[in-house]
Amino acid sequence: MASSLVSRPHLSARPVRAASLASPSRACVAAGVRCQAQAAGDLDRHYMRRCVELARKAAGHTSPNPMVGCVIVRDGRVVGEGFHPKAGQPHAEVFALRDAGDLAENATAYVSLEPCNHYGRTPPCTEALINAKVKEVVMGMTDPNPIVASKGIEKLQGAGIDVRVGVEEALCRKLNEAYIHRMLSGKAFATLRATLSMNGIVTNQLGKGADLSGGYYSQLMKEYDGVIISSDLAKMSTLPVSHEAGANQPQYIIIAQGESSRLHIPSLSEEHASKAIVLADSPITVEPAGVEVAVLRQIDLDSILQLLAQRGLCSVLVDFREAGESFASLLNDFQEEKLVQKVVVEVLPVWLASEGLNNLAFGGSQSFPLKNVEHREVNGSVLLEGYV
């Protein structure tokens, strides 16, 4: 049965060249399987990159599940493709096997994440692969979820299926960096975002086109499960939204420290009130009705990230915009406490006047380098991204 979710371009086989050597994945060694991070062929990497491309089609829709893509290859051509579209729906392997039909027998299944071997809202993907009689499964990485970790590999091997792990592992790990972080730490993956002028002033402005369809900010709103904003920003005329096609708007986590007894959020309708939660340090009435309010004895980023993870959020964007001292205090020791994993800074081609100190003077008591820093120009602004 053909899947309506994906198209299936058929790819002709091409010669395989030896790949450059790389360190084998610890997960591969621990699982006791033949790890291909050292010598994955061109075709293996090609099909795994296609798995990741398919998986990204569901960005912003799978939490608390990971994004996963699957490609079925037989006799040098693609016979099935699929991806996990949404939590609660079938996994990538199921859609790909449906797409392949009888052609899955004796085929190789490429999947960006280790197939599950437990019953949840859907049956185990290992059983689907075994029943389809695939001869080989190539995985990008093992699943850090303790319910899954290596059990899927063992099940497939026990059924006589050849298993290889570690093809394009770095790419597959980056795809699900938020899911991995939540599984290992119990906290949501946090990214700090800010916009600066050329003279280092934090500004509420966004660069040209940033919040429009295709803009980096609109894409962030689609990709992140939640966005942490100050009550000052919430009281503005509009809340941040994604304008990407089919975007699932993020959960709004509104910090109301030192706020008066009433908070009005003008751009939030009662119909969408469930998309927001206000975290306050004292009882507060929020308009419109229906917005959840949680009064916390102490509002700190560590507690917030644990709370969000418990609610199924894997990723959250901390949107820092001319925030007051109370909002900045959330971020005082984020590096030392390993609370923020990524930083996105937009630098505008403007020089702003400022009446007082307005900068990013927080993060910890020691200076530290950012890793894997990338930069690109976007409509005259410069976008910087790096990992803490």
Side-chain angles (χ1 to χ4, degrees):
M1 179 173 67
S3 167
S4 61
L5 286 175
V6 295
S7 59
R8 185 183 62 192
H10 292 280
L11 305 174
S12 58
R14 52 193 174 92
V16 177
R17 298 190 302 272
S20 58
L21 294 180
S23 299
S25 163
R26 293 180 182 176
C28 300
V29 176
V33 300
R34 183 156 55 93
C35 181
Q36 291 297 300
Q38 287 182 308
D42 283 353
L43 284 175
D44 282 345
R45 293 195 297 271
H46 171 80
Y47 292 132
M48 193 59 69
R49 289 194 294 270
R50 177 58 180 163
C51 288
V52 171
E53 182 182 1
L54 289 166
R56 289 191 187 281
K57 292 177 179 287
H61 291 275
T62 62
S63 283
N65 292 353
M67 293 176 281
V68 183
C70 181
V71 174
I72 311 293
V73 179
R74 176 171 165 172
D75 298 329
R77 69 186 184 97
V78 174
V79 296
E81 290 186 335
F83 63 93
H84 178 47
K86 185 179 181 181
Q89 292 191 17
H91 292 180
E93 298 91 327
V94 173
F95 283 112
L97 291 170
R98 287 179 185 175
D99 198 23
D102 293 340
L103 294 176
E105 186 172 350
N106 292 320
T108 296
Y110 291 85
V111 60
S112 55
L113 184 70
E114 177 185 2
C116 64
N117 187 47
H118 65 284
Y119 282 89
R121 284 185 279 187
T122 59
C125 291
T126 51
E127 289 189 6
L129 291 164
I130 292 169
N131 292 338
K133 299 180 181 179
V134 301
K135 68 175 181 179
E136 182 180 39
V137 176
V138 180
M139 306 174 192
M141 61 173 287
T142 56
D143 194 330
N145 185 344
I147 297 176
V148 180
S150 299
K151 297 180 179 65
I153 293 171
E154 294 167 2
K155 179 73 171 181
L156 294 170
Q157 288 180 316
I161 295 174
D162 188 22
V163 175
R164 294 186 281 136
V165 183
V167 173
E168 289 285 9
E169 182 175 5
L171 184 64
C172 293
R173 293 184 70 84
K174 184 174 176 59
L175 170 71
N176 282 308
E177 60 188 8
Y179 168 79
I180 295 169
H181 178 79
R182 175 173 168 265
M183 280 295 161
L184 298 180
S185 71
K187 301 172 186 175
F189 180 98
T191 293
L192 170 64
R193 193 218 68 87
T195 301
L196 300 179
S197 66
M198 287 286 284
N199 56 328
I201 304 299
V202 177
T203 174
N204 189 40
Q205 300 176 40
L206 293 171
K208 180 181 178 181
D211 57 346
L212 302 180
S213 178
Y216 91 90
Y217 189 81
S218 176
Q219 291 175 348
L220 288 177
M221 290 298 104
K222 174 186 176 180
E223 294 169 0
Y224 280 78
D225 298 335
V227 55
I228 297 177
I229 59 176
S230 67
S231 57
D232 289 338
L233 182 60
K235 289 184 285 189
M236 294 174 58
S237 56
T238 58
L239 288 173
V241 297
S242 174
H243 294 284
E244 304 307 301
N248 184 23
Q249 299 302 332
Q251 181 88 25
Y252 298 108
I253 302 96
I254 301 168
I255 309 300
Q257 284 181 282
E259 187 67 50
S260 62
S261 60
R262 187 174 298 274
L263 173 62
H264 177 54
I265 308 174
S267 62
L268 189 65
S269 65
E270 289 191 20
E271 179 184 358
H272 297 101
S274 62
K275 293 293 291 183
I277 176 173
V278 173
L279 304 181
D281 53 3
S282 61
I284 187 171
T285 299
V286 178
E287 299 174 349
V291 175
E292 181 181 357
V293 178
V295 179
L296 307 179
R297 284 182 294 181
Q298 181 177 354
I299 298 180
D300 59 73
L301 190 56
D302 191 11
S303 300
I304 293 171
L305 296 178
Q306 291 186 47
L307 173 66
L308 297 180
Q310 291 167 6
R311 290 176 174 233
L313 277 70
C314 287
S315 61
V316 62
L317 188 74
V318 184
D319 202 2
F320 191 88
R321 301 203 201 182
E322 293 184 331
E325 187 63 33
S326 60
F327 191 81
S329 67
L330 291 176
L331 298 155
N332 277 342
D333 302 310
F334 73 70
Q335 194 273 339
E336 293 169 355
E337 298 178 16
K338 295 179 171 54
L339 300 177
V340 170
Q341 284 67 55
K342 189 175 182 180
V343 176
V344 176
V345 175
E346 180 185 26
V347 182
L348 302 182
V350 296
W351 196 278
L352 293 179
S354 176
E355 297 179 356
L357 186 65
N358 192 356
N359 57 29
L360 303 178
F362 48 70
S365 59
Q366 301 292 326
S367 299
F368 57 91
L370 294 178
K371 303 173 184 177
N372 303 323
V373 176
E374 298 179 356
H375 70 277
R376 56 191 169 101
E377 184 179 344
V378 184
N379 294 330
S381 299
V382 176
L383 194 66
L384 298 164
E385 298 183 9
Y387 290 84
V388 177

